[in-house]
Amino acid sequence: MQKADISYEDLLSFYRECSEADFLFGPEISQYIEEIYKRGVKLHHFREQYRDSTQIPPAGYDHQQVVEGSHKELLWFNEQFEPAKTRFRKYLDVSD
């Protein structure tokens, strides 16, 4: 979140390290991990496309679409702290 970016290597590492979630959690967690991965790929794609005013944009470049897409994914990630806690709580709560 600090850099508003993620490398493709980080995404692959995340996906690989979460590959055993099916054995530890219910299917909703695997689906959530898949959504995180896919949104990370989208964010990476938008950040790779982004061009500032000092760079020559490639043919067909739509700055508004890139900025809005990147912003949408960043907002989604930023809003996941509480939902992630809620989703994992039933598996990781040891307060009983």
Side-chain angles (χ1 to χ4, degrees):
M1 291 303 298
Q2 288 177 335
K3 295 180 183 179
D5 196 8
I6 188 166
S7 72
Y8 195 64
E9 291 77 22
D10 288 338
L11 286 165
L12 290 176
S13 178
F14 166 78
Y15 203 66
R16 184 177 51 254
E17 290 174 16
C18 293
S19 65
E20 295 179 8
D22 293 343
F23 301 106
L24 301 171
F25 307 107
E28 75 278 7
I29 299 298
S30 293
Q31 291 167 357
Y32 186 53
I33 289 169
E34 185 74 24
E35 182 174 13
I36 292 169
Y37 173 75
K38 286 179 179 180
R39 286 181 171 268
V41 169
K42 284 182 183 180
L43 177 60
H44 176 73
H45 174 74
F46 285 125
R47 299 305 293 164
E48 286 289 307
Q49 284 186 336
Y50 181 80
R51 299 295 183 269
D52 65 25
S53 62
T54 66
Q55 298 168 307
I56 299 172
Y61 176 75
D62 184 340
H63 185 75
Q64 190 67 31
Q65 180 184 22
V66 170
V67 170
E68 288 175 3
S70 181
H71 181 70
K72 176 184 171 187
E73 298 309 324
L74 283 170
L75 281 178
W76 185 87
F77 276 105
N78 192 49
E79 294 168 350
Q80 293 310 300
F81 294 110
E82 286 305 316
K85 286 182 190 179
T86 301
R87 290 174 195 242
F88 283 95
R89 181 171 283 117
K90 76 177 189 177
Y91 298 102
L92 303 174
D93 189 357
V94 294
S95 62
D96 289 336

